[in-house]
Amino acid sequence: MTEPVPSPARVRVWDVPTRLVHWLLVLLVTFSWWSAETGRMEWHRWSGYTLLGLVIFRLYWGLAGSSTARFTRFVRGPRAILGYLKGGWTAVPGHNPLGALSVVALLALLAIQVVLGLFAVDVDGIESGPLSTYVSFEAGRAAAHWHEDIFDVLSALILLHIVAVMYYVFFRKQSLVAAMVHGRRAFPEPQPAPMQSASVVRLLLGIVLAVALTWWVARAFQV
Amino acid sequence: MPRSLFRAVGSAFVVASLVAVAYAATPRETQQARHEHYEELGKAFKAIRDQTSASSPDFTALQKNAEVVHEASVDQQQWFPKGTGPEAGKTRALPDIWAKPADFEAAQKMFSERAPKLLAAVKSKDVDAVKAAFKETGGACKNCHDTFRAPEE
């Protein structure tokens, strides 16, 4: 008989909306890239609208969502980031100060990217984002060029994000990917306080807000 | 009588100047002029699209731009004289334009057949018909671009 090794209890880290948004972003950014590369612009527009809705929801969730999704909870200054790098940081559910930078940068870049897409016009004036009707052909072309360039920056950041996560998974033995799937992570004793959920009402409010705003934008503000 | 004479002289003048321009222009100049023509066409397409998504479309603007598209669909048959491919300078026009003239002509014909339908839809002042014809005409553009235009860098 061997004594069962007590596995450390797993603490709730991410709620369902945060995880779902994360993986939908992975899916849709990939789909957007593919549809643009293969000239399927109708699908690309729909993918972009969905991404717009997800970004709006995530920003709202960063203000009104579960504790670990909130910006005020994880966005930290340079001192905290330096402190973290020097090892003076105790793990709690949520982003660490350095990872927070990645979240903010990715989300900001994605928001910029989606907005540029809304104004973009193709070289033939045939395919365009819904808000291009408010700008000149030249401005729409400029938006399209920026849309392409920003995608390269976004890709680089995504790559950095993946490399960083892999570093934590393989070298620091923290199962970050699994945590983003099932929402829980093991912590050494003493156990930190788990994530605090947000109410279903807040969730529904966020969904309605994201869908309504996206619909309004996709219709070029014409109800 | 004087009127038809006037017309004949006018047409002869137009033909002569077109010929003169075609011969006077260097291949590089022809490429640049072609580029500008297509940019005008792109602007016209955007203007049409803008109007079809507006709450109250401006049919005067629509007609003006549908006429630009229509004219371009006819004129473009003169925009690709031999020697104005990549050999003459930076262009997205692919050598197949001159290597497969029958295919290229068919692609151009698709455009010149659909553009009048767009103009007709605009004149009928039916926004849904304009949207449908816009899509059709855009399809003709895409059809040709997929085969005869190099991808954007």
Side-chain angles (χ1 to χ4, degrees):
Chain A
M1 280 293 280
T2 51
E3 281 290 302
V5 181
S7 65
R10 295 199 297 189
V11 179
R12 279 200 79 190
V13 179
W14 312 115
D15 65 348
V16 174
T18 307
R19 281 179 276 150
L20 201 60
V21 166
H22 176 269
W23 293 114
L24 284 174
L25 289 179
V26 173
L27 205 71
L28 284 158
V29 168
T30 310
F31 184 79
S32 287
W33 165 77
W34 175 79
S35 54
E37 284 296 303
T38 55
R40 293 170 167 87
M41 298 315 284
E42 193 65 33
W43 289 4
H44 187 76
R45 263 191 298 275
W46 281 104
S47 186
Y49 296 154
T50 315
L51 280 167
L52 174 64
L54 288 171
V55 168
I56 292 170
F57 178 83
R58 187 59 187 86
L59 291 175
Y60 164 86
W61 211 233
L63 301 173
S66 57
S67 61
T68 54
R70 292 201 185 190
F71 300 123
T72 49
R73 168 76 179 263
F74 65 75
V75 178
R76 308 290 297 274
R79 192 174 296 171
I81 295 167
L82 270 176
Y84 170 76
L85 287 171
K86 286 176 184 160
W89 194 73
T90 337
V92 289
H95 299 292
N96 68 52
L98 188 61
L101 276 185
S102 166
V103 177
V104 170
L106 282 167
L107 203 56
L109 218 52
L110 197 58
I112 293 169
Q113 180 67 343
V114 169
V115 170
L116 284 170
L118 293 171
F119 288 97
V121 177
D122 78 341
V123 71
D124 307 313
I126 293 171
E127 300 290 354
S128 54
L131 300 188
S132 66
T133 174
Y134 296 110
V135 300
S136 69
F137 180 77
E138 287 80 5
R141 289 303 295 144
H145 287 307
W146 279 103
H147 193 61
E148 277 191 42
D149 293 345
I150 295 280
F151 181 74
D152 292 341
V153 183
L154 186 62
S155 309
L157 264 184
I158 290 172
L159 190 69
L160 181 67
H161 173 69
I162 294 171
V163 168
V165 169
M166 289 302 125
Y167 166 75
Y168 280 93
V169 169
F170 292 110
F171 293 95
R172 299 184 64 167
K173 307 290 177 200
Q174 297 178 11
S175 43
L176 300 190
V177 181
M180 194 45 85
V181 173
H182 53 55
R184 289 164 187 278
R185 237 187 85 190
F187 285 91
E189 295 290 339
Q191 295 269 315
M195 171 209 90
Q196 287 168 295
S197 308
S199 69
V200 177
V201 177
R202 283 192 177 197
L203 173 63
L204 291 179
L205 196 68
I207 293 171
V208 170
L209 181 80
V211 170
L213 264 177
T214 303
W215 181 81
W216 193 47
V217 170
R219 293 189 47 105
F221 307 127
Q222 288 169 21
V223 182
Chain B
M1 260 312 170
R3 198 166 167 190
S4 59
L5 182 70
F6 178 75
R7 267 196 194 170
V9 172
S11 312
F13 179 75
V14 169
V15 169
S17 44
L18 275 177
V19 169
V21 166
Y23 280 95
T26 66
R28 187 70 196 128
E29 281 165 354
T30 304
Q31 283 185 336
Q32 282 158 349
R34 182 166 72 210
H35 185 86
E36 276 160 34
H37 286 318
Y38 276 113
E39 198 165 290
E40 287 309 310
L41 185 55
K43 284 179 188 172
F45 268 115
K46 181 186 183 296
I48 294 171
R49 197 189 171 93
D50 288 350
Q51 288 306 325
T52 56
S53 61
S55 46
S56 53
D58 174 355
F59 278 97
T60 316
L62 270 174
Q63 182 156 343
K64 197 184 98 197
N65 287 291
E67 273 163 6
V68 171
V69 172
H70 182 238
E71 278 166 30
S73 79
V74 178
D75 294 348
Q76 42 125 18
Q77 290 161 11
Q78 319 297 325
W79 292 349
F80 295 88
K82 270 198 182 112
T84 60
E87 69 275 16
K90 196 166 168 276
T91 175
R92 287 171 70 196
L94 289 173
D96 268 2
I97 290 171
W98 299 276
K100 297 174 181 168
D103 292 355
F104 184 60
E105 210 172 289
Q108 286 191 312
K109 202 172 156 218
M110 188 189 279
F111 180 27
S112 61
E113 279 171 357
R114 291 183 184 183
K117 291 177 188 163
L118 177 62
L119 185 57
V122 166
K123 284 181 176 166
S124 76
K125 303 205 171 181
D126 175 352
V127 178
D128 287 331
V130 175
K131 278 185 188 171
F134 181 88
K135 215 170 181 175
E136 285 282 297
T137 313
C141 302
K142 186 174 161 30
N143 171 66
C144 188
H145 294 161
D146 284 351
T147 320
F148 294 108
R149 184 171 71 174
E152 243 173 318
E153 276 169 19

